Amino acid sequence: KQNKSNHNNIINTYLLLQPTATDTTQRLGDLRSEMIKSDFQAYIIPSSDAHLSEYLAPSEKRRVWISGFTGSAGTAVVTLTKAAMWTDGRYFLQAEQELDCNWSLMKIGEQGVPTIEEWLVQELGPGMNVGGNPFLFSIELWLIYASNLASGGVALNQSIPDIVDNVWTDRPPLDGDEVVVLPVQYAGVEWTDKLLDVRKEMKSAAVDYLLLTVLDENAWFFNLRGSDIPYTPVFTSYTVIGMTDVVLFGNMSYFAKQEIKDHLAKQEIGCESNNTCATVQPYENARPYLQQLTTTQSNAIFWLPSDGTTYGMYSVVDEDHQISDISPLKIPKSVKNSKEIEAMRQAHIYDAVALCEYLQWLEINVPKGTVDELNGAEKVKNLRLAQPTSKGLSFGSISASGPNAAIIHYRSTPETNRPLTTTEVYMIDSGGQYFEGTTDVTRSVHFGTPTDFEKEAFTRVLMGQIDTQSAIFPYTKDGNYLDMLARRHLYDVGLEYRHGTGHGVGQYLCIHEYPPGIGNAVGGGYPLQPGMFTSVEPGFYQDGEFGIRIENVNVVVEAVTEHNFGGYKFYTFDPVTLAPIQLKMINVDLLSDKQIKYLNDYHKKVEVIVGEEALRQNKPELKDWIQKATVPLARGTSTRNNISWSIMIFIAAVCTMVNVSLE
Ligand SMILES: *[C@@H]1O[C@H](CO)[C@@H](O)[C@H](O)[C@H]1NC(C)=O
Ligand SMILES: *[C@@H]1O[C@H](CO)[C@@H](O)[C@H](O)[C@H]1NC(C)=O
Ligand SMILES: *[C@@H]1O[C@H](CO)[C@@H](O)[C@H](O)[C@H]1NC(C)=O
Ligand SMILES: *[C@@H]1O[C@H](CO)[C@@H](O)[C@H](O)[C@H]1NC(C)=O
Ligand SMILES: *[C@@H]1O[C@H](CO)[C@@H](O)[C@H](O)[C@H]1NC(C)=O
């Protein structure tokens, strides 16, 4: 223990001495010149892109560029004399290390720290203007800022173009290069059929036009995939759907290929005759197009989805000409059809082969002392890339050894990299993109002898996962309803984890897709339905010592029940992630018979399905490894029992000896 804390102190000191901050003097000076030209006395730079994406393309990381702060959450505010960064507790240390002395750090949630609006009102005073790029704010956020600022006499003004872009001279180009068609064998439905469904929804909502802003909705709607954003196969675009037309706005060179042209305007099904041919326009035209519609069709009603429209688009349509509701694509996208489900299952089988190969490789190499977090992550990445139809990773792997795994959103760096050893728990949370689907899986493993507490924590996490996955629940319930099942065995002994239990997953799309999820603010109020996918990923983290998480992706399926109260449908989960749970981490005595049977049935499936795929890929040793990793658990075969037997024999022997000596 002593050794460990010394080690941490050394790492911290080392980090603080690093020149981790970016010199922002020039950038701030340039931005301030632009602010003066536009008559803004302050400028807000949030961390989003124009489609409110979770992961950003490098060209969209404006807040990172202006400040040097690379954390995923933070808002920069620059006045003519000051610069301040608001971020939350996850990032205080990192922000201190990365911001230079031109910046003050505003620690959200700490006593006496003003909100952005309070600070601006105090710094500027009435009659002043604050600028911001309206495409980087959700409708709600912009309206809140504007109203709070207005009450202090400060105006919030739209800045188009973004003046940060005027001064960001070495801004990286967009990452993407093309879009590809997702074949209907994986998508299940032609996009033109989705169009007709959407128009039905539009008709019943009495709207004339629907705007799609969120990139995975554009990609899903058109059965197209792109490569503009790391880990996420989307392309930068807007779609405006009318009752007789549909316009896709994006990089015109993506749509120039004949295959894409034919896909967007399906002449073979006579798309002209039923208004299902899409036309394309340059990305920049989207806002002017919407604006023009509001004048050429002055009675038209617009559906600007409340959950994915930016203020930049919202502000061109009069409020009394729009409805604000969630996107009509949101639920259909998350309820996968039978082809999508089949494809997702296939993606998870490929992924399981890669993960099993990795676990097998670790068993051989960790004891040699040659594996660390970074080269481990590289290894599992390469194994995924070698799978048929691999399209890269679905997020940056979390490869965490010992105490590093207790940091929930840990990312290994050369400074924090730890070796994998036979004395610590190792956690690997990783996933891939495949043409068929998106995967996300976590396993926690030990290559020596885990402590009793590590085993207990692991087993309770596993019990929560099993209870959640095997839960049968009526069709009226959302995922949040099930959250307690995942935690109760930890609660029983006063343990807990500070994160949600599950999130939805896209089909060859975003790693986080909502509304499906468990114990997740955004998923509330949307009942789970067959075809929805969600991860189930309870965990336990002992600060400074170890971290455990077990994560499977599951599909909601209909349950077979003995009764059928009120004609209700009942649902349950089927795990599509197929990777062994390490047996030596389990304390069998804690498991119920039902949990043991569930785990054994699951492992049987892993053995058969992944084993077959391993053979198909000509990897017989992998099949053997899988077979060993999935042997059925039974009571009375655990090490503990073996030890107690040994102790009893030992005691008996001692007694015999004592008896003998007494005689
Ligand atoms: C930023 O800080 C440096 C020194 O820490 C100072 O020399 C410079 O003038 C500051 N730049 C601006 C734009 O305030
Ligand atoms: C900012 O908005 C206010 C209020 O709408 C307006 O009076 C002012 O002219 C605008 N200023 C700029 C620089 O756009
Ligand atoms: C459009 O895509 C091409 C590659 O297909 C790329 O070279 C170009 O930079 C892109 N244009 C924009 C504005 O992103
Ligand atoms: C109209 O649209 C549907 C749906 O995509 C398609 O199946 C049909 O063949 C199209 N053409 C005509 C002429 O109806
Ligand atoms: C316990 O002992 C039995 C009999 O010697 C053996 O078959 C079994 O593998 C042992 N179990 C463990 C977990 O070591």
Side-chain angles (χ1 to χ4, degrees), residues 55-89:
Y55 293 101
L56 302 196
S59 60
E60 307 308 302
K61 296 188 172 176
R62 297 178 179 83
R63 195 223 62 221
V64 171
W65 179 77
I66 194 68
S67 67
F69 169 55
T70 60
S72 71
T75 303
V77 181
V78 178
T79 69
L80 295 176
T81 53
K82 293 184 181 170
M85 176 69 67
W86 274 258
T87 191
D88 64 66

Side-chain angles (χ1 to χ4, degrees), residues 47 291 386 579:
S47 43
Q291 194 149 30

Side-chain angles (χ1 to χ4, degrees), residues 85 93 189 201 283 377 416 443 449 495:
M85 176 69 67
L93 184 66
V189 176
E201 293 283 322
Y283 179 74
T416 62
R443 290 293 180 265
T449 307
L495 302 178

Side-chain angles (χ1 to χ4, degrees), residues 173-174 176-178 251-254 284:
L174 277 175
D177 47 13
E178 58 167 3
N251 182 338
M252 292 300 278
S253 69
Y254 289 178
E284 313 72 63

Side-chain angles (χ1 to χ4, degrees), residues 419-433:
L420 272 59
T421 67
T422 54
T423 59
E424 289 180 336
V425 183
Y426 170 65
M427 185 173 91
I428 177 75
D429 181 350
S430 59
Q433 293 286 6

